[in-house]
């Protein structure tokens, strides 16, 4: 996802795009019409660097192209690696849009001044708490941390009352963690925010003493399901995706949610921003407007990613518990760029 930056082609196109973005980012609770981008942008190709679920993003980009005529070159990968790639590429980066699974990767680019302001009507389509406070990226979907326990195990019949409890000696040899997952660092940040640095260090030391380390949430979930470990912290959707893959009869794990107010009751959002240096500013803004529209949110809600849509009136999968009963959306500003959490994980010997 290299090239030189070229200006947009003329005031008439900009005027057409402004109308298109207003339609795409309607403040009427996601009742947007992405087709309203019109023919002015049709035929353009935007490049999207995406750290989100590849299957779902592919479905989104195909639907966007069908509705608008704007083509998408999708480059998927680890969000942290993609953010670093954009930093290394600088103004020569071909990226028009960066779509991340967690706010810290977006914050890295935002802090460097690389993100353009999102069209106001796009921002109005989702709750303000789910997007950047300065309007540089928009929230797209949500997920929550949870504790996955082997069905019938002690971790299931007596799950932890707090994520902090997992550092206690009684969890030694029973626990699994996946500290290299980008989903785990925000949990560390929440512990930092709630308890302070010294307590966070002690918590991570306890986790290292107690837990077997896995390289992904998928592998951790499989280990819990097979009985290799009793339980571990994951994002909720890994359970549902495992259940779909294995079938209900071969799924031997149960989700438990930490109580509201606990650092483990983290609700995190994915988000997307437009790169300032991008060659197709209007088309990129149209893509963000689409992501925050009812059609895109319906694609997300019906996908196998099991994430929560953010636009009012679009319902997630029926088996998902109501998000507002599970926790509080983490403040993207408080999550920051994740560097402190990563440093603590390294100091604890949980990351190389």
């Amino acid at each position: 996802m290299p090239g030189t930056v070229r200006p947009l082609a003329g005031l008439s196109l900009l005027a057409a795009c402004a109308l298109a973005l207003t339609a795409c980012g309607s403040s009427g609770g996601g009742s947007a019409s992405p087709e309203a981008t019109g023919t002015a942008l049709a035929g353009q190709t935007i490049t999207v660097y995406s750290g989100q679920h590849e299957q779902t993003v592919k479905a989104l980009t195909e639907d966007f192209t069908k509705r608008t005529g704007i083509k998408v070159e999708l480059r998927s990968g680890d969000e942290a690696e993609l953010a670093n790639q954009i930093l290394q590429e600088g103004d020569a980066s071909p990226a028009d849009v960066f779509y991340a699974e967690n706010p810290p990767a977006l914050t890295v680019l935002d802090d460097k001044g690389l993100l353009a302001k999102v069209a106001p009507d796009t921002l109005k389509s989702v709750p303000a708490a789910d997007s950047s406070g300065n309007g540089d990226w928009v929230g797209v979907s949500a997920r929550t941390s949870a504790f996955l326990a082997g069905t019938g195990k002690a971790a299931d019949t007596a799950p932890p009352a707090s994520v902090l409890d997992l550092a206690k000696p009684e969890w030694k040899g029973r626990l699994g963690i996946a500290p290299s997952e980008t989903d785990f660092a925000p949990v560390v940040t929440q512990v930092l925010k709630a308890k302070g640095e010294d307590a966070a260090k002690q918590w991570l030391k306890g986790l290292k003493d107690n837990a077997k380390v896995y390289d992904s949430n998928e592998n951790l979930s499989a280990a819990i399901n097979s009985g290799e470990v009793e339980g571990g912290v994951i994002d909720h959707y890994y359970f549902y995706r495992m259940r779909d893959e294995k079938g209900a009869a071969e799924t031997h794990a149960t989700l438990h949610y930490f109580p509201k107010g606990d650092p483990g009751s983290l609700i995190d959002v994915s988000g997307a921003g437009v790169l300032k240096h991008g060659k197709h500013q209007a088309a990129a803004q149209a893509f963000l407007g689409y992501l925050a529209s009812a059609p895109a949110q319906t694609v997300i809600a019906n996908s196998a990613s099991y994430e929560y849509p953010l636009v009012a009136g679009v319902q997630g999968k029926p088996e998902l518990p109501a998000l507002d009963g599970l926790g509080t959306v983490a403040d993207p500003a408080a999550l920051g760029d994740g560097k402190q959490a990563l440093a603590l994980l390294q100091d604890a010997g949980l990351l190389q």
Side-chain angles (χ1 to χ4, degrees):
M1 305 189 312
T4 56
V5 178
R6 295 197 302 270
L8 292 171
L11 294 176
S12 60
L13 175 57
L14 290 174
C17 294
L19 291 173
L21 291 171
T22 299
C24 269
S26 165
S27 59
S31 58
S33 173
E35 296 87 341
T37 50
T39 58
L41 303 178
Q44 290 192 24
T45 299
I46 60 171
T47 299
V48 175
Y49 282 23
S50 173
Q52 258 289 42
H53 306 291
E54 191 168 356
Q55 252 186 334
T56 302
V57 178
K58 187 172 184 292
L60 287 167
T61 56
E62 288 175 352
D63 186 57
F64 172 70
T65 297
K66 185 187 301 182
R67 292 174 181 275
T68 66
I70 301 169
K71 300 175 183 178
V72 178
E73 181 181 341
L74 182 61
R75 302 193 183 185
S76 295
D78 177 81
E79 62 184 351
E81 292 176 2
L82 290 171
N84 284 330
Q85 184 177 339
I86 291 171
L87 291 174
Q88 292 168 6
E89 291 168 341
D91 289 347
S93 175
D96 294 295
V97 172
F98 180 53
Y99 187 7
E101 188 173 357
N102 298 280
L106 287 155
T107 299
V108 168
L109 301 184
D110 197 3
D111 287 347
K112 295 293 185 181
L114 297 181
L115 298 182
K117 296 296 181 187
V118 178
D121 284 343
T122 297
L123 291 170
K124 290 177 185 176
S125 296
V126 302
D130 296 334
S131 299
S132 162
N134 61 10
D136 285 352
W137 55 267
V138 63
V140 179
S141 58
R143 74 199 71 85
T144 182
S145 296
F147 184 76
L148 186 67
T151 305
K153 302 286 187 182
D156 180 28
T157 56
S162 167
V163 73
L164 300 172
D165 291 346
L166 297 175
K168 293 179 177 179
E170 55 261 37
W171 284 96
K172 188 173 182 64
R174 303 168 56 200
L175 182 67
I177 57 172
S180 62
E181 282 275 11
T182 53
D183 298 331
F184 192 75
V187 178
V188 177
T189 300
Q190 291 297 91
V191 174
L192 265 168
K193 180 182 170 186
K195 300 297 179 180
E197 185 171 341
D198 288 343
K201 287 180 177 179
Q202 287 302 310
W203 178 68
L204 289 172
K205 180 180 182 299
L207 291 187
K208 187 174 190 301
D209 291 342
N210 291 344
K212 183 172 182 179
V213 173
Y214 294 88
D215 62 2
S216 70
N217 280 325
E218 289 91 347
N219 288 340
L220 172 56
S221 299
I224 295 167
N225 195 65
S226 69
E228 187 174 305
V229 291
E230 286 191 29
V233 178
I234 62 168
D235 275 350
H236 78 274
Y237 53 69
Y238 288 99
F239 163 74
Y240 291 103
R241 287 159 55 181
M242 180 177 70
R243 184 202 62 182
D244 284 357
E245 179 183 340
K246 292 183 174 296
E250 296 301 318
T251 300
H252 310 296
T254 307
L255 272 183
H256 298 272
Y257 294 91
F258 296 106
K260 270 191 173 186
D262 188 77
S265 65
L266 166 71
I267 296 176
D268 205 357
V269 295
S270 69
V274 171
L275 279 302
K276 276 184 181 178
H277 63 253
K279 298 184 288 292
H280 307 101
Q281 291 289 308
Q285 290 282 358
F287 182 65
L288 262 61
Y290 164 75
L291 291 177
S293 73
Q297 295 280 300
T298 300
V299 170
I300 292 168
N302 293 329
S303 75
S305 69
Y306 284 91
E307 289 191 282
Y308 288 87
L310 297 181
V311 167
V314 180
Q315 300 299 316
K317 287 186 179 289
E319 57 263 61
L320 296 180
L323 195 60
D324 58 8
L326 297 179
T328 304
V329 176
D331 178 5
L335 290 178
D337 59 12
K339 289 180 181 177
Q340 189 177 8
L342 293 176
L344 290 180
L345 284 164
Q346 289 172 333
D347 289 346
L350 291 169
L351 283 182
Q352 298 301 317

